[in-house]
Every structure is written in C-alpha cells, then in structure tokens.
Amino acid sequence: MYVENLDILKAITDELDYTCYAIIGDWNANLCDIDNSLFAGHMINFCSENNLNISSCAHLPERSYTYVSERWNTTSWLDHVIANNDFHSSISKINIMYDVSDEDHIPFKVYINSDNIPNLTSSINNGRAKIKWNNMTDNDISKYCMLTERCLHDIHIPTEAVGCRDTQCTNVNHIE
C-alpha cells in the first residue's frame, strides 16, 4: 500500500504545472534507523528515482526526531520535507519545534527564501527548464505555445538588423 501511494504521488507530481514544489508531512519512514524502518528504503528510492531531495536530511542534524512514542518510550524521524531541486534550493533552514510538543508528532518549520524561488520565464531563458514532451497534453502544448509567443513578442528586432546578411557584422544595433 505504501508503494501504491508513492505511485500516486508520482502521478500527481508528473501532472504539476509548477517548477517548484515540496511534499511535506508524515512519511512513516524512520531515517534514524534505515535498516529497521519498514518504509525508509521505499522513500529513499522514490526520491532518488524522481530526482527529489530529502530536504529535512540536508537541513537537520542526523539524529533528529519528529515522533515520540510514549507507549514504547522511543523516538523516530517520520516527518520529512521532500522537495524538487528548485524548492530545495529555496529552503534556508528547517527547525523541529521540540518545545511545542513532547509526544506524538512534533511540528517543524520550513523557512523559505522567496528570492531563491525560480521564475519560469528566467529558467527558460537560462536553458534550465526541462520539458517532458511525451507527458504533455494538447492543452499543455497550447499553454507552452502561448507563453513562448508572449515572451517572443517582447523581443524587438530593428528592421535594419533583419536584412543584414553580414555574419561578421559589428554594428552595435544589429548585435543588440
């Protein structure tokens, strides 16, 4: 059932129109005890196969915990921030709020630097956008064409530059 839910998450993320996203919450994968955790391997494989980051591991100490079982007097690291590269790079820090709760799931804060969130237009201009053409519907392609047309419409080429056939042209107006 856990793997089926990961497949559902994969289908959802494949359909996202966003370049910046995270899946945050209770993953039931104890990263403090990977060898004995029933789901940690599945979660790690899911992240690896889908080019996702376990941001909570990158921003928190190795022996962190987000769950306390008073019944068994144990702790586990079950709650995680899983993010694609764009969202991961926008995270400035993550804090587990141990002082808020001392049993069951412990909340955490994710601090996001909005200046690091990429702009779709600039990421296309920088050649970083990766488009999965085989996953695109006709509607997706229409949206892409409309966005491309809008971006190209803002480019103004002087008419004198259009007719220039000199491949070694040094005219500043043509180069610009």
mmCIF file of all heavy atoms in Angstrom, residues 122-158:
data_model
loop_
_atom_site.group_PDB
_atom_site.id
_atom_site.type_symbol
_atom_site.label_atom_id
_atom_site.label_comp_id
_atom_site.label_asym_id
_atom_site.label_seq_id
_atom_site.Cartn_x
_atom_site.Cartn_y
_atom_site.Cartn_z
ATOM 1 N N SER A 122 12.579 33.138 -16.452
ATOM 2 C CA SER A 122 14.032 33.208 -16.402
ATOM 3 C C SER A 122 14.656 31.827 -16.497
ATOM 4 O O SER A 122 15.721 31.672 -17.060
ATOM 5 C CB SER A 122 14.505 33.919 -15.140
ATOM 6 O OG SER A 122 14.166 33.178 -14.006
ATOM 7 N N SER A 123 13.980 30.798 -15.960
ATOM 8 C CA SER A 123 14.583 29.473 -16.063
ATOM 9 C C SER A 123 14.544 28.980 -17.501
ATOM 10 O O SER A 123 15.437 28.281 -17.932
ATOM 11 C CB SER A 123 13.908 28.481 -15.119
ATOM 12 O OG SER A 123 12.569 28.278 -15.460
ATOM 13 N N ILE A 124 13.536 29.384 -18.271
ATOM 14 C CA ILE A 124 13.517 29.037 -19.691
ATOM 15 C C ILE A 124 14.645 29.776 -20.394
ATOM 16 O O ILE A 124 15.390 29.207 -21.173
ATOM 17 C CB ILE A 124 12.157 29.377 -20.332
ATOM 18 C CG1 ILE A 124 11.084 28.399 -19.847
ATOM 19 C CG2 ILE A 124 12.240 29.322 -21.853
ATOM 20 C CD1 ILE A 124 9.693 28.760 -20.267
ATOM 21 N N ASN A 125 14.804 31.064 -20.066
ATOM 22 C CA ASN A 125 15.867 31.851 -20.690
ATOM 23 C C ASN A 125 17.253 31.325 -20.341
ATOM 24 O O ASN A 125 18.174 31.461 -21.119
ATOM 25 C CB ASN A 125 15.767 33.324 -20.281
ATOM 26 C CG ASN A 125 14.555 33.990 -20.896
ATOM 27 O OD1 ASN A 125 14.025 33.518 -21.890
ATOM 28 N ND2 ASN A 125 14.097 35.064 -20.284
ATOM 29 N N ASN A 126 17.401 30.737 -19.156
ATOM 30 C CA ASN A 126 18.696 30.197 -18.750
ATOM 31 C C ASN A 126 18.901 28.773 -19.249
ATOM 32 O O ASN A 126 19.896 28.150 -18.942
ATOM 33 C CB ASN A 126 18.832 30.216 -17.224
ATOM 34 C CG ASN A 126 18.950 31.616 -16.690
ATOM 35 O OD1 ASN A 126 19.452 32.491 -17.376
ATOM 36 N ND2 ASN A 126 18.481 31.843 -15.479
ATOM 37 N N GLY A 127 17.930 28.238 -19.972
ATOM 38 C CA GLY A 127 18.052 26.899 -20.513
ATOM 39 C C GLY A 127 17.912 25.809 -19.466
ATOM 40 O O GLY A 127 18.283 24.675 -19.701
ATOM 41 N N ARG A 128 17.348 26.123 -18.286
ATOM 42 C CA ARG A 128 17.252 25.133 -17.220
ATOM 43 C C ARG A 128 15.944 24.370 -17.228
ATOM 44 O O ARG A 128 15.838 23.352 -16.589
ATOM 45 C CB ARG A 128 17.424 25.793 -15.868
ATOM 46 C CG ARG A 128 18.790 26.334 -15.646
ATOM 47 C CD ARG A 128 18.953 26.886 -14.268
ATOM 48 N NE ARG A 128 17.675 27.278 -13.705
ATOM 49 C CZ ARG A 128 17.490 27.693 -12.488
ATOM 50 N NH1 ARG A 128 18.486 27.787 -11.687
ATOM 51 N NH2 ARG A 128 16.304 28.032 -12.053
ATOM 52 N N ALA A 129 14.925 24.868 -17.922
ATOM 53 C CA ALA A 129 13.636 24.193 -17.899
ATOM 54 C C ALA A 129 13.749 22.858 -18.625
ATOM 55 O O ALA A 129 14.301 22.788 -19.704
ATOM 56 C CB ALA A 129 12.565 25.067 -18.547
ATOM 57 N N LYS A 130 13.245 21.819 -17.990
ATOM 58 C CA LYS A 130 13.246 20.501 -18.608
ATOM 59 C C LYS A 130 11.802 20.130 -18.891
ATOM 60 O O LYS A 130 11.032 19.882 -17.969
ATOM 61 C CB LYS A 130 13.910 19.496 -17.689
ATOM 62 C CG LYS A 130 15.393 19.755 -17.502
ATOM 63 C CD LYS A 130 16.040 18.627 -16.749
ATOM 64 C CE LYS A 130 17.510 18.682 -16.594
ATOM 65 N NZ LYS A 130 18.258 19.801 -16.619
ATOM 66 N N ILE A 131 11.460 20.078 -20.132
ATOM 67 C CA ILE A 131 10.091 19.797 -20.532
ATOM 68 C C ILE A 131 9.991 18.337 -20.937
ATOM 69 O O ILE A 131 10.749 17.863 -21.773
ATOM 70 C CB ILE A 131 9.661 20.712 -21.691
ATOM 71 C CG1 ILE A 131 9.706 22.173 -21.231
ATOM 72 C CG2 ILE A 131 8.268 20.345 -22.176
ATOM 73 C CD1 ILE A 131 9.519 23.175 -22.326
ATOM 74 N N LYS A 132 9.052 17.625 -20.341
ATOM 75 C CA LYS A 132 8.803 16.228 -20.695
ATOM 76 C C LYS A 132 7.737 16.222 -21.789
ATOM 77 O O LYS A 132 6.543 16.112 -21.519
ATOM 78 C CB LYS A 132 8.335 15.452 -19.469
ATOM 79 C CG LYS A 132 9.362 15.397 -18.366
ATOM 80 C CD LYS A 132 8.813 14.662 -17.157
ATOM 81 C CE LYS A 132 9.801 14.693 -16.029
ATOM 82 N NZ LYS A 132 9.272 14.036 -14.836
ATOM 83 N N TRP A 133 8.185 16.363 -23.012
ATOM 84 C CA TRP A 133 7.267 16.498 -24.141
ATOM 85 C C TRP A 133 6.317 15.314 -24.257
ATOM 86 O O TRP A 133 5.148 15.493 -24.609
ATOM 87 C CB TRP A 133 8.048 16.681 -25.446
ATOM 88 C CG TRP A 133 8.766 17.995 -25.485
ATOM 89 C CD1 TRP A 133 10.099 18.209 -25.298
ATOM 90 C CD2 TRP A 133 8.195 19.296 -25.684
ATOM 91 N NE1 TRP A 133 10.390 19.542 -25.372
ATOM 92 C CE2 TRP A 133 9.244 20.234 -25.613
ATOM 93 C CE3 TRP A 133 6.907 19.759 -25.910
ATOM 94 C CZ2 TRP A 133 9.042 21.596 -25.776
ATOM 95 C CZ3 TRP A 133 6.703 21.115 -26.070
ATOM 96 C CH2 TRP A 133 7.766 22.023 -26.001
ATOM 97 N N ASN A 134 6.783 14.120 -23.970
ATOM 98 C CA ASN A 134 5.917 12.948 -24.118
ATOM 99 C C ASN A 134 4.794 12.908 -23.082
ATOM 100 O O ASN A 134 3.821 12.193 -23.259
ATOM 101 C CB ASN A 134 6.736 11.650 -24.063
ATOM 102 C CG ASN A 134 7.538 11.518 -22.785
ATOM 103 O OD1 ASN A 134 7.889 12.520 -22.158
ATOM 104 N ND2 ASN A 134 7.853 10.304 -22.397
ATOM 105 N N ASN A 135 4.913 13.684 -22.009
ATOM 106 C CA ASN A 135 3.856 13.745 -20.993
ATOM 107 C C ASN A 135 2.876 14.891 -21.219
ATOM 108 O O ASN A 135 1.919 15.025 -20.484
ATOM 109 C CB ASN A 135 4.470 13.911 -19.601
ATOM 110 C CG ASN A 135 5.232 12.689 -19.149
ATOM 111 O OD1 ASN A 135 5.081 11.617 -19.716
ATOM 112 N ND2 ASN A 135 6.064 12.849 -18.141
ATOM 113 N N MET A 136 3.138 15.714 -22.215
ATOM 114 C CA MET A 136 2.320 16.908 -22.423
ATOM 115 C C MET A 136 1.045 16.581 -23.198
ATOM 116 O O MET A 136 1.065 15.845 -24.170
ATOM 117 C CB MET A 136 3.121 17.983 -23.149
ATOM 118 C CG MET A 136 4.249 18.542 -22.299
ATOM 119 S SD MET A 136 5.128 19.887 -23.083
ATOM 120 C CE MET A 136 3.960 21.213 -22.835
ATOM 121 N N THR A 137 -0.051 17.176 -22.743
ATOM 122 C CA THR A 137 -1.325 17.049 -23.446
ATOM 123 C C THR A 137 -1.418 18.168 -24.481
ATOM 124 O O THR A 137 -0.581 19.081 -24.509
ATOM 125 C CB THR A 137 -2.496 17.189 -22.460
ATOM 126 O OG1 THR A 137 -2.483 18.526 -21.918
ATOM 127 C CG2 THR A 137 -2.396 16.163 -21.328
ATOM 128 N N ASP A 138 -2.442 18.117 -25.307
ATOM 129 C CA ASP A 138 -2.656 19.192 -26.280
ATOM 130 C C ASP A 138 -2.838 20.530 -25.569
ATOM 131 O O ASP A 138 -2.364 21.561 -26.032
ATOM 132 C CB ASP A 138 -3.869 18.887 -27.161
ATOM 133 C CG ASP A 138 -3.611 17.749 -28.134
ATOM 134 O OD1 ASP A 138 -2.425 17.443 -28.392
ATOM 135 O OD2 ASP A 138 -4.597 17.170 -28.638
ATOM 136 N N ASN A 139 -3.517 20.509 -24.427
ATOM 137 C CA ASN A 139 -3.723 21.729 -23.646
ATOM 138 C C ASN A 139 -2.389 22.263 -23.127
ATOM 139 O O ASN A 139 -2.138 23.472 -23.152
ATOM 140 C CB ASN A 139 -4.687 21.452 -22.493
ATOM 141 C CG ASN A 139 -5.110 22.719 -21.780
ATOM 142 O OD1 ASN A 139 -5.236 23.772 -22.394
ATOM 143 N ND2 ASN A 139 -5.334 22.600 -20.493
ATOM 144 N N ASP A 140 -1.507 21.373 -22.655
ATOM 145 C CA ASP A 140 -0.181 21.775 -22.177
ATOM 146 C C ASP A 140 0.616 22.437 -23.302
ATOM 147 O O ASP A 140 1.271 23.462 -23.094
ATOM 148 C CB ASP A 140 0.617 20.575 -21.661
ATOM 149 C CG ASP A 140 0.020 19.946 -20.417
ATOM 150 O OD1 ASP A 140 -0.625 20.678 -19.647
ATOM 151 O OD2 ASP A 140 0.214 18.731 -20.235
ATOM 152 N N ILE A 141 0.572 21.845 -24.466
ATOM 153 C CA ILE A 141 1.316 22.383 -25.611
ATOM 154 C C ILE A 141 0.770 23.751 -26.006
ATOM 155 O O ILE A 141 1.529 24.673 -26.307
ATOM 156 C CB ILE A 141 1.292 21.392 -26.796
ATOM 157 C CG1 ILE A 141 2.108 20.147 -26.419
ATOM 158 C CG2 ILE A 141 1.837 22.035 -28.077
ATOM 159 C CD1 ILE A 141 2.000 19.004 -27.397
ATOM 160 N N SER A 142 -0.557 23.911 -25.949
ATOM 161 C CA SER A 142 -1.160 25.227 -26.244
ATOM 162 C C SER A 142 -0.680 26.278 -25.245
ATOM 163 O O SER A 142 -0.356 27.405 -25.626
ATOM 164 C CB SER A 142 -2.688 25.137 -26.197
ATOM 165 O OG SER A 142 -3.156 24.345 -27.244
ATOM 166 N N LYS A 143 -0.635 25.915 -23.952
ATOM 167 C CA LYS A 143 -0.141 26.847 -22.926
ATOM 168 C C LYS A 143 1.314 27.213 -23.198
ATOM 169 O O LYS A 143 1.709 28.367 -23.084
ATOM 170 C CB LYS A 143 -0.250 26.226 -21.530
ATOM 171 C CG LYS A 143 -1.628 26.172 -20.958
ATOM 172 C CD LYS A 143 -1.556 25.555 -19.557
ATOM 173 C CE LYS A 143 -2.894 25.238 -18.999
ATOM 174 N NZ LYS A 143 -2.802 24.554 -17.703
ATOM 175 N N TYR A 144 2.117 26.215 -23.538
ATOM 176 C CA TYR A 144 3.533 26.450 -23.832
ATOM 177 C C TYR A 144 3.672 27.399 -25.023
ATOM 178 O O TYR A 144 4.458 28.349 -24.978
ATOM 179 C CB TYR A 144 4.235 25.116 -24.115
ATOM 180 C CG TYR A 144 5.676 25.282 -24.516
ATOM 181 C CD1 TYR A 144 6.662 25.451 -23.548
ATOM 182 C CD2 TYR A 144 6.051 25.289 -25.853
ATOM 183 C CE1 TYR A 144 7.986 25.616 -23.903
ATOM 184 C CE2 TYR A 144 7.375 25.455 -26.217
ATOM 185 C CZ TYR A 144 8.339 25.611 -25.245
ATOM 186 O OH TYR A 144 9.638 25.782 -25.607
ATOM 187 N N CYS A 145 2.901 27.136 -26.075
ATOM 188 C CA CYS A 145 2.964 27.997 -27.264
ATOM 189 C C CYS A 145 2.551 29.429 -26.931
ATOM 190 O O CYS A 145 3.177 30.381 -27.397
ATOM 191 C CB CYS A 145 2.071 27.432 -28.375
ATOM 192 S SG CYS A 145 2.701 25.911 -29.097
ATOM 193 N N MET A 146 1.515 29.581 -26.108
ATOM 194 C CA MET A 146 1.053 30.914 -25.728
ATOM 195 C C MET A 146 2.136 31.648 -24.924
ATOM 196 O O MET A 146 2.422 32.823 -25.175
ATOM 197 C CB MET A 146 -0.230 30.815 -24.909
ATOM 198 C CG MET A 146 -0.860 32.152 -24.579
ATOM 199 S SD MET A 146 -2.440 31.983 -23.738
ATOM 200 C CE MET A 146 -1.928 31.255 -22.190
ATOM 201 N N LEU A 147 2.775 30.952 -23.966
ATOM 202 C CA LEU A 147 3.834 31.567 -23.166
ATOM 203 C C LEU A 147 5.024 31.930 -24.047
ATOM 204 O O LEU A 147 5.588 33.020 -23.923
ATOM 205 C CB LEU A 147 4.285 30.612 -22.051
ATOM 206 C CG LEU A 147 5.432 31.086 -21.174
ATOM 207 C CD1 LEU A 147 5.071 32.371 -20.440
ATOM 208 C CD2 LEU A 147 5.829 30.005 -20.186
ATOM 209 N N THR A 148 5.394 31.039 -24.954
ATOM 210 C CA THR A 148 6.505 31.307 -25.855
ATOM 211 C C THR A 148 6.201 32.509 -26.747
ATOM 212 O O THR A 148 7.052 33.386 -26.930
ATOM 213 C CB THR A 148 6.801 30.062 -26.730
ATOM 214 O OG1 THR A 148 7.071 28.966 -25.863
ATOM 215 C CG2 THR A 148 7.984 30.299 -27.645
ATOM 216 N N GLU A 149 5.004 32.554 -27.277
ATOM 217 C CA GLU A 149 4.597 33.678 -28.131
ATOM 218 C C GLU A 149 4.668 34.995 -27.356
ATOM 219 O O GLU A 149 5.154 36.006 -27.856
ATOM 220 C CB GLU A 149 3.173 33.448 -28.662
ATOM 221 C CG GLU A 149 2.678 34.522 -29.599
ATOM 222 C CD GLU A 149 3.423 34.540 -30.927
ATOM 223 O OE1 GLU A 149 3.864 33.474 -31.377
ATOM 224 O OE2 GLU A 149 3.569 35.647 -31.503
ATOM 225 N N ARG A 150 4.198 34.961 -26.093
ATOM 226 C CA ARG A 150 4.231 36.165 -25.259
ATOM 227 C C ARG A 150 5.674 36.618 -25.017
ATOM 228 O O ARG A 150 5.989 37.798 -25.088
ATOM 229 C CB ARG A 150 3.533 35.885 -23.926
ATOM 230 C CG ARG A 150 3.222 37.153 -23.161
ATOM 231 C CD ARG A 150 2.447 36.935 -21.875
ATOM 232 N NE ARG A 150 1.443 35.903 -21.951
ATOM 233 C CZ ARG A 150 1.173 35.065 -20.946
ATOM 234 N NH1 ARG A 150 1.817 35.159 -19.812
ATOM 235 N NH2 ARG A 150 0.251 34.160 -21.078
ATOM 236 N N CYS A 151 6.571 35.664 -24.735
ATOM 237 C CA CYS A 151 7.982 36.001 -24.497
ATOM 238 C C CYS A 151 8.639 36.531 -25.774
ATOM 239 O O CYS A 151 9.388 37.503 -25.734
ATOM 240 C CB CYS A 151 8.745 34.790 -23.992
ATOM 241 S SG CYS A 151 8.287 34.298 -22.318
ATOM 242 N N LEU A 152 8.361 35.882 -26.891
ATOM 243 C CA LEU A 152 8.960 36.314 -28.160
ATOM 244 C C LEU A 152 8.419 37.668 -28.606
ATOM 245 O O LEU A 152 9.126 38.443 -29.246
ATOM 246 C CB LEU A 152 8.716 35.265 -29.247
ATOM 247 C CG LEU A 152 9.486 33.956 -29.086
ATOM 248 C CD1 LEU A 152 9.040 32.955 -30.141
ATOM 249 C CD2 LEU A 152 10.981 34.184 -29.155
ATOM 250 N N HIS A 153 7.171 37.944 -28.260
ATOM 251 C CA HIS A 153 6.551 39.207 -28.642
ATOM 252 C C HIS A 153 7.286 40.408 -28.021
ATOM 253 O O HIS A 153 7.306 41.500 -28.584
ATOM 254 C CB HIS A 153 5.082 39.218 -28.208
ATOM 255 C CG HIS A 153 4.342 40.468 -28.594
ATOM 256 N ND1 HIS A 153 4.000 40.749 -29.897
ATOM 257 C CD2 HIS A 153 3.922 41.511 -27.843
ATOM 258 C CE1 HIS A 153 3.380 41.923 -29.936
ATOM 259 N NE2 HIS A 153 3.315 42.403 -28.703
ATOM 260 N N ASP A 154 7.901 40.190 -26.866
ATOM 261 C CA ASP A 154 8.614 41.261 -26.169
ATOM 262 C C ASP A 154 10.004 41.530 -26.745
ATOM 263 O O ASP A 154 10.679 42.458 -26.317
ATOM 264 C CB ASP A 154 8.742 40.933 -24.677
ATOM 265 C CG ASP A 154 7.386 40.947 -23.979
ATOM 266 O OD1 ASP A 154 6.472 41.606 -24.490
ATOM 267 O OD2 ASP A 154 7.273 40.290 -22.923
ATOM 268 N N ILE A 155 10.432 40.713 -27.691
ATOM 269 C CA ILE A 155 11.743 40.920 -28.312
ATOM 270 C C ILE A 155 11.562 41.830 -29.521
ATOM 271 O O ILE A 155 10.805 41.524 -30.437
ATOM 272 C CB ILE A 155 12.375 39.584 -28.745
ATOM 273 C CG1 ILE A 155 12.583 38.684 -27.532
ATOM 274 C CG2 ILE A 155 13.693 39.836 -29.481
ATOM 275 C CD1 ILE A 155 13.029 37.276 -27.892
ATOM 276 N N HIS A 156 12.259 42.954 -29.508
ATOM 277 C CA HIS A 156 12.149 43.912 -30.604
ATOM 278 C C HIS A 156 13.449 43.901 -31.408
ATOM 279 O O HIS A 156 14.515 44.218 -30.893
ATOM 280 C CB HIS A 156 11.859 45.317 -30.061
ATOM 281 C CG HIS A 156 10.588 45.369 -29.254
ATOM 282 N ND1 HIS A 156 9.346 45.320 -29.827
ATOM 283 C CD2 HIS A 156 10.390 45.417 -27.914
ATOM 284 C CE1 HIS A 156 8.422 45.352 -28.885
ATOM 285 N NE2 HIS A 156 9.032 45.408 -27.707
ATOM 286 N N ILE A 157 13.316 43.503 -32.644
ATOM 287 C CA ILE A 157 14.475 43.452 -33.532
ATOM 288 C C ILE A 157 14.356 44.606 -34.517
ATOM 289 O O ILE A 157 13.356 44.715 -35.221
ATOM 290 C CB ILE A 157 14.533 42.107 -34.292
ATOM 291 C CG1 ILE A 157 14.588 40.950 -33.284
ATOM 292 C CG2 ILE A 157 15.727 42.068 -35.236
ATOM 293 C CD1 ILE A 157 14.474 39.579 -33.914
ATOM 294 N N PRO A 158 15.367 45.466 -34.556
ATOM 295 C CA PRO A 158 15.323 46.579 -35.508
ATOM 296 C C PRO A 158 15.215 46.036 -36.940
ATOM 297 O O PRO A 158 15.876 45.062 -37.306
ATOM 298 C CB PRO A 158 16.663 47.299 -35.304
ATOM 299 C CG PRO A 158 17.179 46.816 -33.988
ATOM 300 C CD PRO A 158 16.583 45.466 -33.777
#
